[in-house]
Amino acid sequence: MARIGEQTAPVTTRDALARGRLRASLVPDLLVDARRIANTVISGWHGRRRRGVGENFWQFRPYVEGEAVSRIDWRRSARDDQHTFVRDREWEAAHTVWLWADPSPSMLYKSASASVSKESRALVLVLAMAELLSRSGERIAWPSLSDPFTARNGAERLAAVLAQAADVPARPDLLGIRRFSDLVVASDFLDPVEETMEWLDVLARHGVRVHLVEIADPAEETFPYSGRTEFVDPETQQKYTAGRAETLSQEYRRLYVARREALMSWSTRLGWSYTVNHTDRLASEALVRLHMAMSGGIGQGGAR
């Protein structure tokens, strides 16, 4: 939801190329920011435990019908009323961390109280994580845009892929992401919760570990509007005029928080992580929490 006078974007087909060119022009500066942010937290980065051949524990994940019953961890399953869990161990195949930032028009939103747009923050976080992972020798990739690769300049290579992409899929195909991989998703998650769950469900069934990073503009959360206000849907350009916007505040905030709590609860049940980063806060805060989640330092429930 965007107030007239604050930044939004049309979503017509003819604007796709313009958005691609704009993204390409911004990527170099975003890469510089990403490296700066990565350097601020590098002293606490010791590299994530690499998965290789062995019997060491990696993660719990929901049991998939057809798997051997002997793989079920009954102690962990007893703590959950709805799911049965399997204990995954290290695997000999190369591990990949997939990175994705939501390119939806709603991500262009930037209120007066925010320092950057949601899109800029999401891209900076993803590129900063690519920088850290590349320094640790991890394989990284962007779904639907690149194959997994290992390189010391991984963030730069990923930035080049983004800059050259004429069109970034609104929701990439996730079928190519296999078991024993991680996926980082940076988005505002303003789509209906059911749609987000349906999109990511294939990963839960394949044993992929997902880290959801919600990028939130402070105005979207607090709804600081009053009086006659015109709102524009950045996805459809539909307009709504409220005579007294303050009368919508309580119900709006209830629905906004309920959406977040539903996604966070769902992620927790699957053993995934969920972090919230506000665009008036430091990006490094989210990067540290994301690193901890990927390293097993924290499970769920991120920054507020």
Side-chain angles (χ1 to χ4, degrees):
M1 182 177 293
R3 189 178 185 179
I4 286 295
E6 293 178 336
Q7 295 184 16
T8 182
V11 289
T12 57
T13 302
R14 65 175 178 273
D15 290 321
L17 182 57
R19 284 202 62 192
R21 288 173 176 169
L22 176 61
R23 183 177 59 251
S25 66
L26 293 176
V27 163
D29 290 338
L30 296 178
L31 179 59
V32 171
D33 286 343
R35 284 174 170 163
R36 174 181 54 79
I37 293 167
N39 286 333
T40 65
V41 300
I42 198 66
S43 60
W45 177 268
H46 302 293
R48 300 185 315 110
R49 178 167 56 84
R50 303 291 298 279
R51 284 112 184 137
V53 180
E55 292 298 317
N56 293 328
F57 169 72
W58 177 32
Q59 68 167 355
F60 289 114
R61 63 172 176 80
Y63 171 78
V64 177
E65 185 175 355
E67 291 187 281
V69 176
S70 60
R71 300 196 61 198
I72 296 175
D73 189 289
W74 297 107
R75 179 176 297 179
R76 174 64 183 87
S77 301
R79 301 201 301 268
D80 192 290
D81 295 332
Q82 302 180 9
H83 294 85
T84 301
F85 289 90
V86 169
R87 175 185 289 262
D88 267 339
R89 300 186 184 279
E90 293 179 343
W91 192 40
E92 63 271 17
H95 176 263
T96 300
V97 179
W98 298 80
L99 304 166
W100 184 76
D102 189 349
S104 301
S106 67
M107 295 291 288
L108 294 176
Y109 181 68
K110 175 184 176 298
S111 70
S113 56
S115 57
V116 295
S117 70
K118 293 184 291 183
E119 180 181 57
S120 293
R121 175 56 56 82
L123 286 171
V124 163
L125 279 173
V126 164
L127 291 174
M129 180 54 66
E131 179 77 8
L132 293 177
L133 292 169
S134 295
R135 294 186 189 187
S136 297
E138 297 277 9
R139 282 160 42 104
I140 61 174
W142 186 291
S144 296
L145 284 186
S146 77
D147 293 327
F149 64 90
T150 303
R152 293 292 294 178
N153 65 337
E156 184 176 347
R157 286 182 56 177
L158 205 60
V161 169
L162 289 171
Q164 295 168 12
D167 184 31
V168 178
R171 277 191 175 175
D173 183 3
L174 303 179
L175 292 178
I177 302 180
R178 300 301 181 186
R179 186 177 171 191
F180 297 100
S181 293
D182 283 69
L183 170 67
V184 175
V185 178
S187 172
D188 54 15
F189 298 114
L190 293 182
D191 289 325
V193 172
E194 295 76 15
E195 291 184 11
T196 301
M197 292 178 177
E198 182 180 2
W199 175 52
L200 296 173
D201 181 64
V202 63
L203 301 179
R205 290 185 279 110
H206 288 174
V208 177
R209 190 165 58 173
V210 181
H211 308 277
L212 305 181
V213 183
E214 180 185 334
I215 310 298
D217 188 286
E220 291 178 321
E221 188 168 279
T222 61
F223 198 85
Y225 308 117
S226 62
R228 184 177 178 81
T229 307
E230 185 177 70
F231 298 94
V232 181
D233 185 332
E235 305 284 345
T236 66
Q237 293 299 287
Q238 291 184 336
K239 299 179 180 179
Y240 172 76
T241 301
R244 297 176 58 199
E246 64 272 18
T247 62
L248 305 175
S249 179
Q250 183 175 354
E251 180 64 10
Y252 169 86
R253 286 198 296 263
R254 184 188 69 80
L255 293 173
Y256 186 89
V257 172
R259 168 203 56 83
R260 175 181 294 166
E261 291 180 345
L263 280 175
M264 188 176 291
S265 176
W266 178 68
S267 300
T268 299
R269 291 197 301 271
L270 294 176
W272 296 353
S273 71
Y274 196 101
T275 301
V276 181
N277 183 237
H278 298 89
T279 50
D280 62 341
R281 300 287 299 176
L282 296 175
S284 57
E285 295 177 358
L287 187 61
V288 169
R289 289 181 171 87
L290 180 57
H291 164 229
M292 291 176 64
M294 295 183 70
S295 302
I298 60 174
Q300 295 76 36
R304 290 296 186 123

